[in-house]
Amino acid sequence: MKRRWSGALVAAGLAAVSITACSPPEDKVPSIGYSFDNNVDTYNARTVDGAASGARQAFTRVQVGFSYLGPEGDALSDNDIGTTAIVPGDTLTVQYTIAPAATYSDGAPMACDDLVLAWAANSGRFATDRPMFDAASTAGYSDIERIDCVPGAKEATVVFAAGRNYDNWRALFGATDLLPAHVAARAVGVANVVDPILGGDDEVVSRIADFWNTGWTLTPGAIDTSLLPSAGPYRVESYTVEDGLVLVANDAWWGIPPETEQVVVWPKGTDAAAKVADGSLDVIDQGAGALDAVGATEGFATTSQPSRGVEQLTFATQGVLAEASARRAVAACIPRSDLFDTLGHPGFEVAAAGLGAGVVDSRLVQPGTLEYPSVATVVGDRYQRSNLDQAGKELVGADESDLTVRVGYLGPDARRAEEVRRMAADCAAAGITVQDASSPEFTPSALRSGAVDAVLGNSGSLPGPSGSASGVVARYSLRTGTGLNVGGYSNARIDSIIDQLAVTEDPERVLALATEGEKILWNDMPSLPLYNEPRTTVVSDGMQDVVPNPTAAGAGWNMDRWVLLR
C-alpha cells in the first residue's frame, strides 16, 4: 500500500525503525487519509465562498475556538482554549478567558484580539456603501454591542445589545471562527487590530477587511504557511495537488497531543477510488450517493444517516425567477415526495418522526423539534408531488409561456445529478426546462452573479455538510443582506421573524413566529426544501474513534482522536 508522509514524519519513522520492526502488527499508522465532498481553497471558513468550501471540515482541529459542533449538532464547550462565564444582569454579557498557555504555532499568544477580529468581520457593523467584510452570516455577532479588550490580553468581555440576548451564544467564537489577528495586523502594517476596530478607524479597518476577505486564499503548490499559524492540535504543513493538504501535529499545542501525527486531507476532485486502492485514504465523509461504489470497497465499513442540513433548491429573485409566481411554478413541478422516497434515505430505515422521516416542510424550524409538526402543516398537500396544472397556472401568472431554469451545484455529484434529471423530466411537461449547470468549480455565489437561476445544495446553499441543532444558518440565509442569502431574497417581516427567533426560547412564541413565517415563505418561495440530506461516512478497517458527525463540522470534528491500526 502506498502512503505519502511529510518529511518530518519520514525522519521520525526512520529513527523508530528499530522499535517498529519488533512491534506487533497492531501499531499505529502515523498518517491517516481523509476525504470529503468539497474543495479547500481558503483558510477562512467565514467568508461567503469560505463557508461554501470545505474549510470548516478541514480546519476544525486547526482553528479551534471556545466551542465545537458535536454529532448531535449542539455547540459543546472546548475548555482547552479557555472558559466562558455569564456576567449577572438583564443584558447578556459574557466573560471570555483564554487559557494562559494558549499559543499559536508561530509563537504568538492567543489573545482577545482574535475575538475582536471575529466580531468585526461577522457583525456587519463595518460598512461604507456595502459591508467591508464578506461574511457568510452575521448571526449572533450582529447582536453584540461591544467587546471590551486590551490588545494582547487574555480576557474579553462581550456585551450584547439590550433586548438581544442571543440564544445560541455558546456557538460564537467557536471552531474556525477565530482567525489569527496578529497575522492580519502584520499584513496591513499595524500594531494590532483592536485599536483601529474599537476606535472606528474605517481606513485601517477597510484594509484589515480586504486581507480577511482574500488574504487567506489557498492555492495548492503556492501556500505561505507563515499566514496559517494554528492554535489547535494540528497545523498546516503543506498543500499540493499531488500530496494533498497535509496537517501535522502542532508542537505548540498545550492540550492532549493528537493520537496520530499526520492527517492528509484529500478535497473534492481527488480520485477517491485510486486513493482507496493505493491505501492512502482511510476516512471518507460525503453526501450519500455522491460517489459511486467507494463505500462498497472491501475493507471499508459504511454508515449512512440523515443530517442536520436540508437538501434544497435556492432560487434567484432576479432574472427569469424574479416573480414569485415563476418560482412557485418551478416548485410545483418538482416531485419532492418521489425524490425523498428514492434518494433521501439510502442505507437506513425511514424514521417515524424527526430527522430523515420525510420531505421537510419548514425552513424556520427543524424536524424533531416540538414546533415542527404544527409548522409543517402550513404547506398542506401543496408541493408534495409534481402538479402540472398548478405549475401551468403559476406560469400564466408570471406571464411566462415557457421557462428555462439553470440549476447549479458542485459536481460531479451522482445523487444531485439524478435529482436534477428527475426535476427536468417532470417539469418538461409543464413547459419548464431544467438544465444541469453543475461544475467542479461551482460556488453558490454564482446565483448572486446571475450565472445560474437556482442552487441545489444543503442548508445555506452549501455544497457539503451543513446544519446544526440551532438551525441558525438555514434561517439567516433568508435574511436581507446576509452573505449566504445568495438568492437576494428580501422581506422585512421575515427579517423581523428571524431576529425574534434568535432571542426567543418560549416554544409557543417560536410556534407562532415560525407559522407566520412559513405562510409568507411558501408564497414568496425563495427556496424549496426537499429532505434532510443523507450523509455517508466510510471508514477503513483498523480505524478507531471516527464518530460520524452529520452537521456542518463533518467527520473531522475529532480527527485528533483518530487511530489507524494495521
Side-chain angles (χ1 to χ4, degrees), residues 389-448:
D389 289 339
Q390 182 185 351
K393 291 175 182 177
E394 296 287 4
L395 282 178
V396 171
D399 197 23
E400 294 275 1
S401 57
D402 60 86
L403 191 64
T404 296
V405 179
R406 300 160 297 170
V407 178
Y409 60 92
L410 182 63
D413 187 312
R415 177 171 52 81
R416 286 179 175 152
E418 178 63 11
E419 284 177 324
V420 174
R421 187 193 69 77
R422 295 189 184 199
M423 292 175 189
D426 279 40
C427 290
I432 299 174
T433 300
V434 175
Q435 294 180 345
D436 189 316
S438 63
S439 76
E441 296 80 31
F442 181 82
T443 66
S445 295
L447 193 60
R448 293 200 296 190

Side-chain angles (χ1 to χ4, degrees), residues 330-540:
V330 177
C333 66
I334 302 295
R336 288 204 304 151
S337 293
D338 175 64
L339 291 176
F340 169 74
D341 290 341
T342 56
L343 300 171
H345 50 92
F348 57 86
E349 294 295 326
V350 178
L355 298 181
V359 294
V360 173
D361 287 329
S362 174
R363 306 158 185 84
L364 299 176
V365 294
Q366 296 191 63
T369 61
L370 290 174
E371 302 82 12
Y372 178 81
S374 296
V375 175
T377 63
V378 167
V379 67
D381 290 332
R382 296 174 297 158
Y383 306 110
Q384 299 299 310
R385 292 159 289 279
S386 180
N387 187 327
L388 302 185
D389 289 339
Q390 182 185 351
K393 291 175 182 177
E394 296 287 4
L395 282 178
V396 171
D399 197 23
E400 294 275 1
S401 57
D402 60 86
L403 191 64
T404 296
V405 179
R406 300 160 297 170
V407 178
Y409 60 92
L410 182 63
D413 187 312
R415 177 171 52 81
R416 286 179 175 152
E418 178 63 11
E419 284 177 324
V420 174
R421 187 193 69 77
R422 295 189 184 199
M423 292 175 189
D426 279 40
C427 290
I432 299 174
T433 300
V434 175
Q435 294 180 345
D436 189 316
S438 63
S439 76
E441 296 80 31
F442 181 82
T443 66
S445 295
L447 193 60
R448 293 200 296 190
S449 66
V452 296
D453 307 299
V455 173
L456 179 59
N458 215 325
S459 296
S461 302
L462 303 183
S466 182
S468 66
S470 69
V472 164
V473 168
R475 289 175 182 168
Y476 272 79
S477 64
L478 295 166
R479 198 186 187 287
T480 302
T482 300
L484 287 182
N485 184 355
V486 291
Y489 175 64
S490 181
N491 183 296
R493 182 53 188 159
I494 290 297
D495 293 348
S496 177
I497 288 172
I498 291 169
D499 289 346
Q500 291 177 71
L501 287 171
V503 296
T504 300
E505 293 183 309
D506 178 23
E508 292 186 3
R509 184 63 177 149
V510 171
L511 176 59
L513 288 167
T515 300
E516 179 190 354
E518 288 299 343
K519 289 177 180 177
I520 297 170
L521 292 169
W522 282 110
N523 182 67
D524 288 356
M525 200 65 74
S527 63
L528 180 68
L530 300 175
Y531 49 79
N532 289 108
E533 191 212 19
R535 300 291 301 176
T536 293
T537 307
V538 183
V539 179
S540 66

Side-chain angles (χ1 to χ4, degrees), residues 164-462:
R164 297 302 303 168
N165 291 3
Y166 182 61
D167 185 48
N168 197 39
W169 68 267
R170 291 170 184 80
L172 301 179
F173 307 109
T176 68
D177 282 12
L178 297 179
L179 288 159
H182 67 285
V183 171
R186 184 176 69 225
V188 301
V190 293
N192 62 77
V193 301
V194 176
D195 289 336
I197 289 172
L198 299 188
D201 188 336
D202 284 351
E203 189 277 327
V204 175
V205 173
S206 178
R207 289 191 282 127
I208 293 171
D210 288 342
F211 177 80
W212 189 88
N213 293 337
T214 62
W216 278 300
T217 298
L218 298 179
T219 302
I223 67 168
D224 180 355
T225 54
S226 70
L227 301 176
L228 315 175
S230 164
Y234 286 108
R235 63 174 176 83
V236 176
E237 181 179 75
S238 62
Y239 188 18
T240 63
V241 172
E242 297 78 15
D243 295 333
L245 172 63
V246 180
L247 308 179
V248 296
N250 175 13
D251 292 339
W253 173 243
W254 59 95
I256 298 173
E259 290 287 345
T260 299
E261 284 293 311
Q262 175 175 286
V263 174
V264 180
V265 176
W266 298 101
K268 192 176 180 72
T270 300
D271 187 339
K275 295 299 177 188
V276 166
D278 72 14
S280 55
L281 187 54
D282 308 289
V283 181
I284 303 170
D285 180 16
Q286 64 185 32
L291 294 175
D292 293 329
V294 171
T297 303
E298 184 178 356
F300 285 78
T302 298
T303 302
S304 294
Q305 61 193 123
S307 75
R308 289 281 178 178
V310 176
E311 186 83 350
Q312 62 183 295
L313 278 172
T314 301
F315 297 120
T317 53
Q318 61 183 354
V320 297
L321 297 182
E323 297 294 328
S325 52
R327 300 191 293 272
R328 291 195 299 267
V330 177
C333 66
I334 302 295
R336 288 204 304 151
S337 293
D338 175 64
L339 291 176
F340 169 74
D341 290 341
T342 56
L343 300 171
H345 50 92
F348 57 86
E349 294 295 326
V350 178
L355 298 181
V359 294
V360 173
D361 287 329
S362 174
R363 306 158 185 84
L364 299 176
V365 294
Q366 296 191 63
T369 61
L370 290 174
E371 302 82 12
Y372 178 81
S374 296
V375 175
T377 63
V378 167
V379 67
D381 290 332
R382 296 174 297 158
Y383 306 110
Q384 299 299 310
R385 292 159 289 279
S386 180
N387 187 327
L388 302 185
D389 289 339
Q390 182 185 351
K393 291 175 182 177
E394 296 287 4
L395 282 178
V396 171
D399 197 23
E400 294 275 1
S401 57
D402 60 86
L403 191 64
T404 296
V405 179
R406 300 160 297 170
V407 178
Y409 60 92
L410 182 63
D413 187 312
R415 177 171 52 81
R416 286 179 175 152
E418 178 63 11
E419 284 177 324
V420 174
R421 187 193 69 77
R422 295 189 184 199
M423 292 175 189
D426 279 40
C427 290
I432 299 174
T433 300
V434 175
Q435 294 180 345
D436 189 316
S438 63
S439 76
E441 296 80 31
F442 181 82
T443 66
S445 295
L447 193 60
R448 293 200 296 190
S449 66
V452 296
D453 307 299
V455 173
L456 179 59
N458 215 325
S459 296
S461 302
L462 303 183

Side-chain angles (χ1 to χ4, degrees), residues 65-67 76-78 81-84 96-98 115 172-174 178:
F66 283 88
S67 65
L76 306 177
S77 296
D78 190 340
I81 296 302
T83 59
T84 60
Y96 288 82
T97 302
I98 300 170
L115 279 73
L172 301 179
F173 307 109
L178 297 179

